[in-house]
Amino acid sequence: MSRSEFRYNKRRKHYAYLFKDIGDKRKNLILSTKPIRRKQHKLKKNIRLYRHPNRKCNKIVYIIPCIFIDSIYAFRGVKQNWCFDKNDKRKIKRIIKRKKV
């Protein structure tokens, strides 16, 4: 089943974009404010988004180009008015389909 919503991920302590259901699990992408992340002593780049999904916020936001799978109980309530900018939708689709961005 398909899903398209933003929620706070309590386990990873970031906002997340949920896009697919697998039983009690949810596939999601994590939003971050940092341009790079450290993973096992390596620096990996995050992908910058054109605009923050929350229209009221003017912060620069990045998306971590990895698909995470978490339980539905790891998420808080839905953010109703959040959506990706039309310039960011292509980047998101390419990450979901695991193509090179």
Side-chain angles (χ1 to χ4, degrees), residues 6 13-17 28-37 44-54 57-66 68 82 84 88 91-92 95 101:
F6 290 90
K13 296 176 180 63
H14 285 282
Y15 284 100
Y17 171 68
N28 61 76
L29 296 171
I30 303 294
L31 298 171
S32 176
T33 56
K34 297 188 178 180
I36 54 176
R37 69 188 186 285
K44 304 234 178 179
K45 286 188 175 183
N46 294 335
I47 298 170
R48 184 176 177 179
L49 296 180
Y50 183 75
R51 183 177 288 160
H52 196 289
N54 182 3
C57 185
N58 292 327
K59 291 183 181 178
I60 295 173
V61 70
Y62 298 86
I63 193 149
I64 298 174
C66 299
F68 296 96
W82 285 28
F84 284 117
D88 296 329
K91 293 176 187 177
I92 301 304
I95 293 170
V101 178

Side-chain angles (χ1 to χ4, degrees), residues 3-7 16-19 26 72 78-79 82:
R3 175 181 296 266
S4 179
E5 62 191 23
F6 290 90
R7 290 180 180 230
Y17 171 68
L18 283 68
F19 62 90
R26 303 293 182 259
I72 187 62
V78 178
K79 297 294 178 186
W82 285 28

